[in-house]
Amino acid sequence: MSNSRWVSSSMPYLTPDAARPDAWGAEAAAQGRKGTQRIIRAEEVPAPPDIALQLGLREGCAVVVRRRIMYLDDQPNELTDTYYPADIARGTRLAGTAKIPGGAIRLLAELGYVGARVREDVVARMPNPEERALLQTAQDEPVLRLTRVTVDSQDRPFQVDMMTMPAHRQHLRYELTIG
């Protein structure tokens, strides 16, 4: 497989692991690549309609969003917006732009939010102008939009990730345990 294509699995991003504090960097290193990220912003905003629906909130309720650009070998590979209900994230490192020691999944576990179930939806579409600029794609290059909703054992959604990736650079791998 060409080294310009990225093969990714979701599992490392769903479970806290003290031995693997940076899932993105570890996954890239395992493939002989360099994975880094830049947090562009973190802020409290009114929940957009689609995010409110995913989190089971009323439209306009406060959520915290963190926007990151994920780099693979110094090239933008993914634009990720992660949303949390404000009552979970407000006043925590989730609401800031600093890197979170051990990662957000570990911090969420410390706060009592551990994923029991996840739903992922993937669609292909053309990027908007901001996505095109941040991901450095050509006018005619589509993106994949992966939406991941993480739900706890009480069936409460507590995290929504909206990941936008240049389609021609991606290979998403799903391995499921049955039963």
Side-chain angles (χ1 to χ4, degrees):
M1 183 170 295
S2 166
N3 199 32
S4 66
R5 198 161 174 103
W6 173 247
V7 179
S8 183
S9 173
S10 296
M11 196 54 73
Y13 304 94
L14 302 175
T15 54
D17 183 348
R20 188 192 63 237
D22 178 6
W24 173 247
E27 187 178 26
Q31 295 184 39
R33 318 269 310 259
K34 177 181 154 198
T36 58
Q37 62 179 290
R38 180 169 59 101
I39 302 166
I40 298 175
R41 70 175 186 268
E43 60 188 337
E44 194 168 308
V45 298
D50 57 336
I51 299 302
L53 180 67
Q54 300 286 356
L55 288 172
L57 302 173
R58 286 186 336 273
E59 186 176 330
C61 281
V63 294
V64 169
V65 60
R66 287 171 59 96
R67 171 163 271 194
R68 296 167 292 161
I69 299 179
M70 314 305 281
Y71 294 91
L72 184 62
D73 299 330
D74 299 321
Q75 180 180 22
N77 193 63
E78 181 179 299
L79 180 62
T80 301
D81 293 329
T82 302
Y83 294 85
Y84 308 95
D87 65 328
I88 292 173
R90 187 182 289 132
T92 72
R93 288 177 173 263
L94 296 170
T97 56
K99 224 173 165 184
I100 299 171
I105 295 298
R106 190 160 144 206
L107 175 58
L108 284 161
E110 291 169 5
L111 295 171
Y113 297 93
V114 176
R117 187 170 49 86
V118 68
R119 181 182 67 247
E120 291 188 352
D121 292 287
V122 181
V123 297
R125 62 172 174 77
M126 296 307 289
N128 65 39
E130 181 185 19
E131 293 166 338
R132 188 177 303 113
L134 290 171
L135 293 170
Q136 300 174 6
T137 60
Q139 185 88 12
D140 62 345
E141 292 177 338
V143 293
L144 296 177
R145 167 57 77 94
L146 188 152
T147 301
R148 176 186 299 143
V149 180
T150 306
V151 178
D152 67 16
S153 62
Q154 265 66 132
D155 218 28
R156 179 183 179 186
F158 63 89
Q159 179 174 320
V160 175
D161 296 293
M162 304 288 278
M163 296 163 266
T164 306
M165 306 162 267
H168 69 287
R169 295 184 214 151
Q170 305 303 315
H171 173 138
L172 303 176
R173 172 173 290 149
Y174 291 89
E175 294 180 26
L176 307 172
T177 302
I178 301 172

